[in-house]
Amino acid sequence: MGQHDRYDAIVAGAGHNGLTAACYLAKAGLKVLVVEKNDWIGGAAVSRSLHEGWTYSNCSYVCSLLRREIVRDLELPKYGLQVIPYEGGASFSRDGDYFAYMSDHDALRREISRHSAQDADAYDRFSQTVIRQCRFIRPFLLRNAPDPTSLKPRDIGELLFLVKQAHGLGKKELGETLRFWSMSIGDFLDEHFENNLIKAHIAGAGIIGTGLGVYSPGTAYVLLHHYMGDVDGAIGAWGFARGGMGAISNALGACFEEAGGTIVTGSGVDRFLVSNGRVTGVALDNGDEYHAPIVASNMDVKRTFLQHTGQQHLPGDFVKAVKRFKIRGSSGKLNIALDALPEFPAAPKGAPFLRGDLHCAESLNELERAYDDWKEGRWSQNPYFDMLIPSQIDPTMAPPGKHMMTVFVQYAPYDLEVGGVRAGTNWNGQTRGAFADCVFDKLEQACPDIRSKTVHAEVRTPWDIEQEVGLTEGNIFQGELTFDQLLFNRPVPGYAQYDTPINGMYIVGSSAHPGGGVMAAPGANAAREILRNIGRGGNMTGYAA
């Protein structure tokens, strides 16, 4: 074994969380290696040219959750990261009407009043509730989740911080907070609004990427998770990374390499090397081995411990808990190259909200029926989608005069049912084509000429996402964001602080607290924990203690 095979730390997987952790470790002075199975970095945050002249953000597609504290720490704009905000969005109905969501409060109030005067007042109360919940949870994103069974001073300190934050809410607000975290987005919206189209528009954020329906308990928090981001300080705002989501990963990669780190692509981890209860390195699919006393896995918790770690190295109860952790595939994706901008007959020409996220759901019941299809192993016959045309704001995504459309679809099952058999391998050219036709049929509700403007479409199912990116069942959050899988329960009680039963081995991906989305918080938090454990806790440029 040569000296060049030895490192201070190895990160398995060059997704954005793995790269974030690697950046912090390298900037703290460690000799760090990142290994990646694909020939490119970024995991699900990638930009790929799959049709000549067009760039697709072919997995994750919008930016908001990326913590600005981390962006500042790692100086990502210096490495080319630019996030361009977009304004608003809309939901189109079959009768030719629409509901437009706009960032300007007065304009939004007028638009809501056009559908329901009562809902205009209700929206102010709804916004106050959501903002209050965001303010409560945001401080925990860049802090460790405390172990309530531990008597360690740091855990007690974090529990006291949690109690202090809860006490600050007051008795009434605390009760509402606990209720909010466990209720469905459907029930939450029914309590506030009367108009079906308005409720359907807002509800989408509660089910995206989640194997749950709008009336499933816990989906109100999923909405909150999507509201916790910001762009340039605007709370809840969303935007496009110029050049696609790969710009985030490329900036992280450049930061890491400038700090002295090494990235090896083209071969994934075959197994984690463990000896006497301690990790010693990784063995890759191509037979190469690299050794380090610290190994951090950016893969989800199931993939890490059920596929790439010898079971003899793990406690039986831990393995059972990992198997119980819910990671269910529920989302498909279409990336579409357009010869020209589609027409939206219902909308005023050039309406700013057309540059935002567009939908065609009309009621909560419609969304719940889409979920019913998924439960039976079918893609939704009347699907919900989140559709955007980022090339309207970022012209680098398509040739001059052309456009790129991204369509995120709920619901598409991982185990597709065909002929009474449910299997991921039932996704093939024929079933993908039928799934795409179903989505295009629904898209025509908003833009009837979409098929004639399409020159290429990439269709991605949960099975496809798993095969390429390595996300179990194609779950974009590396584990559902339900109350039983948050804070000290994520991913496994007793191991919610990025550590594992194997000494020196850590989880740095979205299976860990605070969860999924292109947030980078799990990677940054895990790096802080690693540095603290090796006595270099002061070497992180630091945001939260």
Side-chain angles (χ1 to χ4, degrees):
M1 183 174 64
Q3 187 65 28
H4 65 282
D5 296 329
R6 286 196 161 278
Y7 292 85
D8 296 324
I10 297 170
V11 177
H16 81 281
N17 274 307
L19 292 169
T20 299
C23 284
Y24 278 111
L25 296 177
K27 288 170 81 70
L30 274 63
K31 182 184 178 184
V32 185
L33 170 71
V34 174
V35 295
E36 166 58 43
K37 75 182 183 76
N38 286 320
D39 294 327
W40 57 88
I41 65 171
V46 292
S47 303
R48 300 192 62 200
S49 180
L50 301 177
H51 186 71
E52 187 175 355
W54 277 263
T55 298
Y56 293 157
S57 287
N58 68 329
C59 291
S60 60
Y61 55 101
V62 285
C63 184
S64 169
L65 300 176
L66 185 64
R67 304 310 306 150
R68 52 181 163 168
E69 299 92 334
I70 297 169
V71 172
R72 285 197 302 265
D73 268 358
L74 301 181
E75 300 179 282
L76 297 186
K78 185 176 89 171
Y79 303 102
L81 178 61
Q82 180 185 0
V83 179
I84 312 163
Y86 64 79
E87 296 183 15
S91 287
F92 295 91
S93 60
R94 282 185 293 269
D95 63 5
D97 199 3
Y98 65 88
F99 165 69
Y101 184 91
M102 289 161 278
S103 56
D104 180 86
H105 179 268
D106 292 333
L108 177 59
R109 187 176 178 87
R110 286 194 297 272
E111 174 65 5
I112 295 174
S113 297
R114 188 169 70 85
H115 294 273
S116 165
Q118 174 184 308
D119 286 356
D121 291 330
Y123 186 80
D124 289 335
R125 295 191 297 274
F126 165 83
S127 296
Q128 290 167 5
T129 299
V130 171
I131 290 172
R132 191 160 53 239
Q133 296 301 325
C134 283
R135 286 175 176 163
F136 175 71
I137 194 64
R138 278 165 67 100
F140 297 101
L141 299 181
L142 294 176
R143 303 180 72 99
N144 272 22
D147 182 350
T149 66
S150 170
L151 294 178
K152 294 178 182 178
R154 198 152 57 92
D155 284 308
I156 293 173
E158 287 298 312
L159 281 170
L160 288 174
F161 178 79
L162 175 59
V163 170
K164 182 180 178 182
Q165 293 292 105
H167 179 74
L169 288 173
K171 186 174 181 180
K172 179 184 176 185
E173 300 299 341
L174 179 59
E176 289 184 2
T177 294
L178 294 173
R179 181 169 175 268
F180 178 88
W181 278 42
S182 59
M183 74 188 306
S184 74
I185 185 60
D187 287 333
F188 181 61
L189 293 173
D190 282 338
E191 289 182 359
H192 285 82
F193 301 106
E194 64 176 8
N195 182 269
N196 285 328
L197 190 58
I198 292 172
K199 287 190 283 188
H201 181 88
I202 299 172
I207 58 171
I208 280 187
T210 304
L212 296 168
V214 289
Y215 285 107
S216 300
T219 46
Y221 175 80
V222 179
L223 173 133
L224 182 64
H225 193 84
H226 285 99
Y227 274 51
M228 285 190 292
D230 61 70
V231 175
D232 291 336
I235 304 300
W238 290 80
F240 300 116
R242 185 175 175 85
M245 293 297 284
I248 297 172
S249 302
N250 292 338
L252 287 165
C255 173
F256 173 60
E257 291 183 326
E258 188 171 292
T262 303
I263 301 175
V264 173
T265 59
S267 187
V269 170
D270 174 57
R271 69 188 189 282
F272 294 100
L273 303 176
V274 182
S275 177
N276 297 319
R278 170 165 284 281
V279 72
T280 61
V282 296
L284 303 188
D285 292 328
N286 64 7
D288 292 345
E289 291 190 7
Y290 297 95
H291 295 265
I294 297 167
V295 174
S297 175
N298 188 42
M299 294 182 282
D300 66 65
V301 68
K302 283 186 184 287
R303 196 173 187 88
T304 298
F305 293 110
L306 303 183
Q307 296 186 33
H308 300 289
T309 306
Q311 302 292 287
Q312 71 273 21
H313 303 300
L314 299 167
D317 288 348
F318 178 82
V319 173
K320 288 179 182 176
V322 170
K323 288 179 178 178
R324 286 196 300 265
F325 189 68
K326 297 192 298 291
I327 306 183
R328 299 180 292 196
S330 61
S331 311
K333 183 104 190 295
L334 269 67
N335 296 296
I336 303 172
L338 298 168
D339 193 45
L341 192 68
E343 295 288 334
F344 292 86
K349 196 161 185 66
F353 60 75
L354 294 176
R355 296 195 289 270
D357 50 301
L358 307 175
H359 320 280
C360 285
E362 296 188 72
S363 71
L364 295 177
N365 286 336
E366 178 185 312
L367 296 176
E368 189 70 9
R369 287 195 295 272
Y371 173 56
D372 291 339
D373 286 337
W374 176 81
K375 287 186 293 184
E376 298 299 323
R378 304 184 298 265
W379 62 78
S380 301
Q381 301 306 297
N382 187 15
Y384 169 82
F385 60 71
D386 187 30
M387 181 263 280
L388 301 103
I389 308 175
S391 50
Q392 296 179 97
I393 294 174
D394 177 9
T396 68
M397 303 293 286
K402 315 295 183 184
H403 287 278
M404 177 265 176
M405 175 186 284
T406 175
V407 188
F408 191 85
V409 186
Q410 293 281 119
Y411 297 81
Y414 173 78
D415 286 322
L416 180 65
E417 192 277 327
V418 175
V421 176
R422 294 180 66 158
T425 49
N426 283 336
W427 285 109
N428 53 43
Q430 182 178 359
T431 52
R432 281 189 197 91
F435 169 61
D437 281 340
C438 185
V439 176
F440 270 102
D441 288 346
K442 188 71 178 284
L443 285 170
E444 287 180 340
Q445 185 173 313
C447 40
D449 61 345
I450 181 65
R451 279 187 164 98
S452 65
K453 299 287 178 64
T454 297
V455 296
H456 176 263
E458 181 204 23
V459 183
R460 299 169 66 77
T461 72
W463 188 85
D464 297 319
I465 295 170
E466 180 184 75
Q467 297 307 302
E468 180 186 312
V469 183
L471 296 170
T472 295
E473 293 202 15
N475 184 286
I476 63 172
F477 296 134
Q478 287 196 357
E480 287 172 16
L481 298 170
T482 47
F483 191 54
D484 60 318
Q485 295 193 169
L486 294 175
L487 294 171
F488 44 78
N489 284 329
R490 191 172 186 91
V492 173
Y495 296 96
Q497 298 177 347
Y498 315 99
D499 57 338
T500 74
I502 298 171
N503 289 331
M505 187 170 173
Y506 297 85
I507 289 285
V508 301
S510 297
S511 285
H513 171 76
V518 183
M519 184 184 295
N525 291 352
R528 183 186 62 226
E529 190 69 10
I530 292 168
L531 292 172
R532 179 180 279 125
N533 288 345
I534 64 173
R536 298 201 188 187
N539 284 29
M540 211 160 157
T541 34
Y543 30 80

